[in-house]
Amino acid sequence: MTINSVQELFNQLLKTSTPLQVREILAAIGDVTDIGLDNPFGKLQLHWHPYGDTTSNYSTIGLASKAGRSITERITNSIDAILEEHSLKVPTKPNSPQSAANEWFGRPYSNADDGLFKWKYEEGGYNKKAGLILSDSGIEEAPSIDVLDFGIGISPDNFPKTILSLQKGNKITKKYLVGAFGQGGSSTLEFAEYVFVVSRSVQNPNIVSFTLIKQITLGDEYKDNCHAYLAFTNEQGEQTVPSFTLNESINLYNNEKIRLNEFKHGTLVRHYAFRLTGIFRAIGPREGNLYHYLHCSMFDPLIPLQIIDIRQKGEKLKQQISTGSRNRLMKLQTKADSEKDFAKAEFKRYLPVAYIKPFGATTQCVKIEYWVVYNYEKKKDKKAYTDY
């Protein structure tokens, strides 16, 4: 394999889904195991630079213990990127993410009678603004996972200040965004062998920026490894990432069945061989897969999320929209008010939204609502059902 330019490197990486493929590409550009940090290598003169500008980043990134929670954080960052992109078009900013989604997108507030479950999000294409795509990594328990958004995007010089930074607090004053501390998304690095990041800023979409993140083994004097990203030093002596000019959209998957927007701006984060302990199976309504898990971890998301499973070659593409468990329950509850369908579920009780003041608090700051549902398992005798 011969790679003579940054764009060729990008094209080769975009086609990959396995760690083995990535290792072959890195070898082709001159990377070796003991290359160390900030040492230029190969024809492209790239180097590995510490993630977050610190060699002690492993302890911070390694705090994560649940792969599902970490991927949820990465999805939350994608939703923030979509809100951030829209914020460039308006003069004032709301004081909460819920207000921003309502004012900018028309997403109803979540209350006893309203919420995402009543929102016709297809009309504005809000069901195609964020996606999670699972592909085959060669390891069944650890698929490769793409988290994709069509939001604000990142310019090459801003990579080190944003998506490659730690605890910078870039969002701490932006009340219309969900995130705040600049650490959650980076926790996904702990569960993946490599992470490939691609972005196109909405303010300069003709520039495609990208990098690759991996663990570097440091010298004997260090206690831990270090997460590092593929970088180069610009003319001003600053760290930046590889980039090139492209005046057209990018076909990310070469699959016409995937219902996602063209990649004209936004960010793709690909996690190779992401260790999904207990939730790696093909997406579906039962436990043990990300579709089921994300309905719980994102109980009431601001916008829907496309979840697409392309691991099963030769089979029908698995593609679902996750709207959170609250909105699934509210849809069923609304249906139960008008018709009783014992073939699926029976609602025994629904307590609308109530606010309480916990011990030690001065205001009502905890929102509670709950549902009691009886599900029925169909028996051979079509008239007989058993509740469980």
Side-chain angles (χ1 to χ4, degrees):
M1 182 188 302
T2 303
I3 297 176
N4 296 312
S5 69
V6 164
Q7 187 167 356
E8 286 182 25
L9 173 60
F10 169 80
N11 291 336
Q12 291 295 330
L13 286 171
L14 188 62
K15 295 186 291 186
T16 61
S17 65
T18 73
L20 176 60
Q21 292 170 326
V22 175
R23 284 193 289 271
E24 290 174 348
I25 291 171
L26 289 177
I29 63 173
D31 183 38
V32 293
T33 304
D34 58 351
I35 193 70
L37 296 171
D38 297 320
N39 296 319
F41 58 84
K43 183 176 181 179
L44 301 181
Q45 287 294 282
L46 301 174
H47 60 263
W48 296 104
H49 186 74
Y51 191 100
D53 282 326
T54 175
T55 54
S56 61
N57 56 41
Y58 190 80
S59 58
T60 302
I61 293 168
L63 289 174
S65 60
K66 302 290 184 182
R69 291 180 183 175
S70 291
I71 210 72
T72 302
E73 291 280 359
R74 186 69 80 182
I75 295 167
T76 300
N77 287 350
S78 291
I79 295 173
D80 276 350
I82 294 163
L83 293 169
E84 190 80 284
E85 189 266 333
H86 195 88
S87 75
L88 301 176
K89 307 173 185 177
V90 294
T92 58
K93 313 296 187 290
N95 285 324
S96 73
Q98 293 82 6
S99 296
N102 176 261
E103 293 178 25
W104 296 344
F105 306 152
R107 197 269 201 205
Y109 286 104
S110 296
N111 55 45
D113 302 311
D114 215 343
L116 190 152
F117 69 100
K118 283 191 175 180
W119 185 26
K120 296 181 179 179
Y121 44 75
E122 301 94 342
E123 294 179 359
Y126 297 107
N127 58 323
K128 296 181 179 180
K129 286 186 174 291
L132 183 146
I133 299 91
L134 297 101
S135 57
D136 185 11
S137 72
I139 306 170
E140 183 182 4
E141 299 83 1
S144 290
I145 299 177
D146 291 4
V147 178
L148 172 66
D149 70 72
F150 301 94
I152 190 169
I154 311 167
S155 64
D157 292 342
N158 276 331
F159 263 62
K161 304 171 188 175
T162 54
I163 200 167
L164 301 176
S165 68
L166 286 172
Q167 299 175 331
K168 289 292 186 181
N170 294 311
K171 303 177 183 179
I172 196 70
T173 61
K174 298 178 179 180
K175 297 181 179 179
Y176 57 93
L177 300 181
V178 180
F181 304 113
Q183 182 174 320
S186 63
S187 66
T188 58
L189 306 182
E190 176 66 13
F191 302 97
E193 193 160 341
Y194 299 98
V195 175
F196 178 42
V197 184
V198 182
S199 199
R200 306 181 80 165
S201 169
V202 71
Q203 295 169 311
N204 193 1
N206 292 338
I207 301 298
V208 179
S209 311
F210 69 97
T211 191
L212 193 72
I213 305 164
K214 72 169 187 175
Q215 279 191 41
I216 293 285
T217 301
L218 302 176
D220 294 338
E221 66 272 25
Y222 290 89
K223 294 181 179 180
D224 292 317
N225 294 337
C226 170
H227 289 276
Y229 65 90
L230 204 57
F232 74 93
T233 306
N234 63 19
E235 294 178 356
Q236 290 74 41
E238 301 169 331
Q239 296 299 319
T240 186
V241 298
S243 62
F244 60 93
T245 301
L246 185 69
N247 299 318
E248 58 189 42
S249 63
I250 299 173
N251 189 342
L252 295 174
Y253 300 103
N254 196 27
N255 191 323
E256 296 179 355
K257 295 181 179 179
I258 294 179
R259 299 190 298 266
L260 288 171
N261 293 338
E262 290 183 299
F263 191 59
K264 296 179 179 180
H265 61 83
T267 301
L268 163 71
V269 184
R270 176 170 297 166
H271 310 80
Y272 294 89
F274 194 82
R275 298 187 297 277
L276 280 176
T277 305
I279 51 174
F280 59 84
R281 294 182 178 86
I283 64 171
R286 294 188 177 275
E287 295 180 354
N289 67 89
L290 266 181
Y291 174 73
H292 181 275
Y293 179 88
L294 290 172
H295 267 95
C296 299
S297 68
M298 301 181 69
F299 188 71
D300 188 23
L302 291 178
I303 64 172
L305 174 72
Q306 290 270 356
I307 304 179
I308 305 169
D309 194 338
I310 58 175
R311 286 177 288 178
Q312 305 301 318
K313 295 180 180 179
E315 294 186 13
K316 186 177 180 180
L317 186 76
K318 294 183 181 295
Q319 189 163 213
Q320 298 285 348
I321 294 180
S322 176
T323 56
S325 289
R326 180 186 190 270
N327 299 290
R328 295 183 72 192
L329 285 165
M330 290 304 294
K331 275 189 174 182
L332 290 171
Q333 190 269 329
T334 303
K335 183 179 180 181
D337 288 342
S338 58
E339 58 180 279
K340 225 170 187 180
D341 184 2
F342 289 102
K344 294 182 179 179
E346 178 185 1
F347 273 79
K348 291 292 187 182
R349 181 171 175 77
Y350 166 59
L351 178 70
V353 176
Y355 289 88
I356 65 170
K357 182 172 69 174
F359 180 77
T362 57
T363 60
Q364 294 179 329
C365 57
V366 176
K367 182 172 76 171
I368 292 179
E369 58 184 331
Y370 74 83
W371 299 258
V372 178
V373 185
Y374 275 55
N375 286 314
Y376 292 88
E377 182 180 9
K378 196 171 182 179
K379 298 294 187 181
K380 290 182 180 179
D381 180 356
K382 294 182 180 181
K383 295 182 180 180
Y385 296 88
T386 303
D387 62 308
Y388 62 94

